[in-house]
Amino acid sequence: MSDTQLTVTLSGGGIDDARAVVRALEGAFGAPDALPADERATVRTATFSSPPAPDAAPGPRGTGDRLSAPVTVTVQGTPQAVEAASETLAHAFTARDEGAAAGDQEQERQLLLVP
C-alpha cells in the first residue's frame, strides 16, 4: 500500500515549541520531511509520510517537551493518521480538542496545547 501524508500546522509559541510538537509525533510517524525552521514565521508546517494505518505512540502522560506558550495545532490527513496524531499529542502535552471536520477521505482536527 502507498504511504499517506499527515500535515501539521502550528501557530502560537515559538520555534522551539513547534519543534517540540513535531518531535512528539516522530514516534508514530517517523521523521518529518523537514523541521520547522523559520523563527520569524507566525504559522509553521510539517509534513509526515506515514503508513496507511499509523498507531499512536503515546508514552506516559506529559512526556513531551515543555511549551513556553499555548500552541494551536491542526492535523490533517486520513482519519487513522489524524486519530493517531491527536492521541500522541494528547499524551505528550496538555491538550484541548478544539474541533474536527471530516471529509470523504480526509479529516482535520484542531488541538490547543498548553504549557
Side-chain angles (χ1 to χ4, degrees):
M1 275 189 152
S2 65
D3 285 349
T4 59
Q5 197 170 57
L6 177 76
T7 301
V8 181
T9 306
L10 307 111
S11 61
I15 189 73
D16 290 334
D17 296 321
R19 289 177 180 159
V21 172
V22 170
R23 279 193 304 271
L25 291 169
E26 288 179 344
F29 296 95
D33 294 343
L35 282 174
D38 187 350
E39 292 186 23
R40 296 170 294 160
T42 56
V43 176
R44 297 171 176 93
T45 59
T47 304
F48 294 86
S49 295
S50 68
D55 290 324
R61 275 213 187 271
T63 57
D65 295 340
R66 291 203 37 89
L67 300 175
S68 67
V71 177
T72 300
V73 179
T74 303
V75 290
Q76 181 179 13
T78 65
Q80 297 88 353
V82 168
E83 185 64 28
S86 299
E87 285 182 28
T88 299
L89 292 173
H91 277 83
F93 303 98
T94 301
R96 287 197 320 239
D97 190 339
E98 297 284 301
D104 287 343
Q105 297 181 21
E106 275 197 350
Q107 190 175 51
E108 180 178 290
R109 179 168 290 148
Q110 189 171 71
L111 301 169
L112 177 63
L113 308 181
V114 294

